[in-house]
Amino acid sequence: MAWNTLDDLDLSGKTVLTRVDINVPMEAGVVSDMTRIDKIRPTVEAIIAKGGKVVLLAHFDRPKGKVVPAMSLGHLVDALSASLGRKVVFAADCVGDVAATAIAGAGAGEVVLLENTRFKPGEETNDPALAAEMAALGDVYVNDAFSAAHRAHASTEALARLLPAAAGRLMEAELRALEAALGKPERPVVAVVGGAKVSTKIELLANLVTKVDHLVIGGGMANTFLVAEGIEVGKSLAEREMAETAREIHRKAQTAGCSIHLPVDVVVARDFKAGAESHVVGVRDCPMDAMILDAGPKTVASIEAVFAGAKTLIWNGPLGAFEIEPFDAATNAAAKAAARLTREGKLISVAGGGDTVAALNQAGAAEDFTFISTAGGAFLEWMEGKELPGVAALMG
């Protein structure tokens, strides 16, 4: 792929402006999930090992171009320092004299954290003047925030074009995993797409059927595809007005030689709550007063058979209402099958999206997947076949 990594740049004695995603959840002023902070450690360590000075650029929450004290990155200094095992120097601005002074005063091995880039109105408008002010602070630009790469912002796109640029370790791992999954994958390729609504994933489905050999559709969106085939789904969540769209995606898949897999049996219940009485029925036998809340065991077996014959798996979205037992059974079983095949070296497995990560963690399968993306919107836009501005900028 045509982008530089940290291994391609001479960083000795250089100030390295490093775009990261540390937009972490907070509770009572304390970071409640350190995942995103911990994930930047390899990039920070690599830059320091190569003799560079790390200057972190990041956004936090949505201040919409105004200074909002509650959204200051200063609140993250202690958490960053603890994770990195280094002193973190905070600058109360991301440009100008305040930032320059903090950078100049930082000692060897110390990390500089600049203030929330979104405090500047020009950040989200990709203002070239703001990018130039940022560029004046450093010698090299590194983007380690794939999760923000779908945004053409000053710190993710314009800045990358003003300095020698490279992908950080996390960005590099993400791009290599995605290239392996859809760019030049080992075939056959199977994609699992679940979730509630077809309407939110039309572009995703339309792109995938041209790229993969098998498409497994689960969750509420599977009900819409069933309705499109004339199958009654009772009180189930279904976008009946999207039936023709579902049929069009099916036609596109047939033209492209992609097999679409829908449930053949389902788990139904009359109440959507933990411990609700449920039954497995054939897909054409959903009672009118019940709703489909999960895929059934025959469907899971057929999905596992598709996995067993595949070389590459891309997963986005659960197969059922996994948040509530027993409607997590299909997702758990399929996830464990994919994890086992990956562990055995038979499958390259890449997954992403908020619900997906939660579902795979719940199933105890996430650690065995080849790669789990925490990027959310950027991961989805990549699956839709869209160009990501933050990645395109690294390619010059």
Side-chain angles (χ1 to χ4, degrees):
M1 298 180 80
W3 33 264
N4 287 329
T5 71
L6 294 176
D7 300 320
D8 299 313
L9 299 181
D10 175 13
L11 302 181
S12 181
K14 304 289 179 62
T15 296
V16 185
L17 302 180
T18 310
R19 182 58 163 94
V20 294
D21 182 0
I22 48 176
N23 192 20
V24 292
M26 306 275 287
E27 291 180 12
V30 178
V31 177
S32 57
D33 184 344
M34 290 283 287
T35 302
R36 284 182 167 173
I37 288 176
D38 291 341
K39 281 182 177 292
I40 73 171
R41 194 184 308 131
T43 293
V44 170
E45 294 297 337
I47 292 170
I48 292 172
K50 288 171 71 71
K53 179 182 285 188
V54 179
V55 178
L56 300 178
L57 287 163
H59 72 278
F60 188 72
D61 214 325
R62 298 183 179 183
K64 300 188 182 300
K66 296 176 181 173
V67 175
V68 181
M71 299 178 190
S72 171
L73 284 172
H75 299 302
L76 302 187
V77 169
D78 290 345
L80 273 167
S81 182
S83 177
L84 299 175
R86 297 178 179 277
K87 181 180 178 181
V88 175
V89 177
F90 178 66
D93 202 345
C94 64
V95 292
D97 292 342
V98 170
T101 300
I103 293 169
E110 294 180 355
V111 173
V112 181
L113 173 65
L114 302 185
E115 184 56 285
N116 193 340
T117 58
R118 289 187 181 174
F119 281 1
K120 301 294 184 183
E123 165 70 337
E124 295 187 77
T125 61
N126 202 20
D127 180 11
L130 177 60
E133 286 189 80
M134 292 175 176
L137 299 171
D139 307 302
V140 175
Y141 173 79
V142 168
N143 193 341
D144 208 33
F146 179 80
S147 50
H150 60 312
R151 308 291 190 202
H153 290 176
S155 68
T156 62
E157 203 274 343
L159 178 56
R161 302 188 184 280
L162 298 178
L163 296 172
R169 294 300 190 216
L170 181 58
M171 172 80 90
E172 178 186 355
E174 190 101 32
L175 292 175
R176 292 197 189 285
L178 301 186
E179 178 71 3
L182 270 192
K184 296 177 181 176
E186 290 189 46
R187 293 190 175 277
V189 183
V190 55
V192 173
V193 179
K197 296 181 177 181
V198 172
S199 56
T200 61
K201 296 188 177 180
I202 294 171
E203 292 178 89
L204 171 62
L205 295 169
N207 182 54
L208 285 179
V209 295
T210 68
K211 299 283 183 69
V212 306
D213 303 291
H214 298 273
L215 175 60
V216 175
I217 299 177
M221 67 172 59
N223 300 334
T224 300
F225 276 81
L226 294 173
V227 168
E229 293 189 357
I231 296 173
E232 185 47 63
V233 296
K235 291 166 51 182
S236 307
L237 173 66
E239 294 177 288
R240 296 173 188 275
E241 71 281 5
M242 299 297 295
E244 181 52 38
T245 300
R247 285 190 285 268
E248 178 56 35
I249 290 169
H250 228 137
R251 288 191 290 267
K252 191 171 185 179
Q254 288 179 321
T255 301
C258 170
S259 299
I260 289 183
H261 301 265
L262 295 172
V264 293
D265 62 342
V266 291
V267 179
V268 300
R270 287 167 175 81
D271 298 298
F272 180 38
K273 62 182 182 183
E277 183 180 351
S278 61
H279 306 279
V280 176
V281 299
V283 74
R284 294 182 178 275
D285 300 319
C286 176
M288 290 301 293
D289 62 344
M291 62 191 93
I292 298 170
L293 294 173
D294 200 10
K298 290 181 181 177
T299 300
V300 172
S302 68
I303 291 171
E304 291 177 353
V306 172
F307 287 179
K311 295 288 187 183
T312 304
L313 166 67
I314 308 158
W315 190 318
N316 174 254
L319 297 175
F322 78 99
E323 304 92 340
I324 295 180
E325 294 184 358
F327 311 118
D328 57 349
T331 301
N332 289 348
K336 287 174 180 175
R340 176 178 51 78
L341 290 167
T342 304
R343 214 166 41 239
E344 294 171 355
K346 298 174 182 177
L347 190 67
I348 295 169
S349 52
V350 176
D355 281 353
T356 311
V357 177
L360 297 183
N361 280 330
Q362 183 173 299
E367 287 188 6
D368 288 314
F369 269 58
T370 308
F371 189 80
I372 301 284
S373 171
T374 56
F379 181 81
L380 282 174
E381 290 199 16
W382 166 79
M383 286 183 74
E384 290 168 2
K386 294 178 179 176
E387 180 178 87
L388 305 182
V391 175
L394 294 180
M395 297 181 178

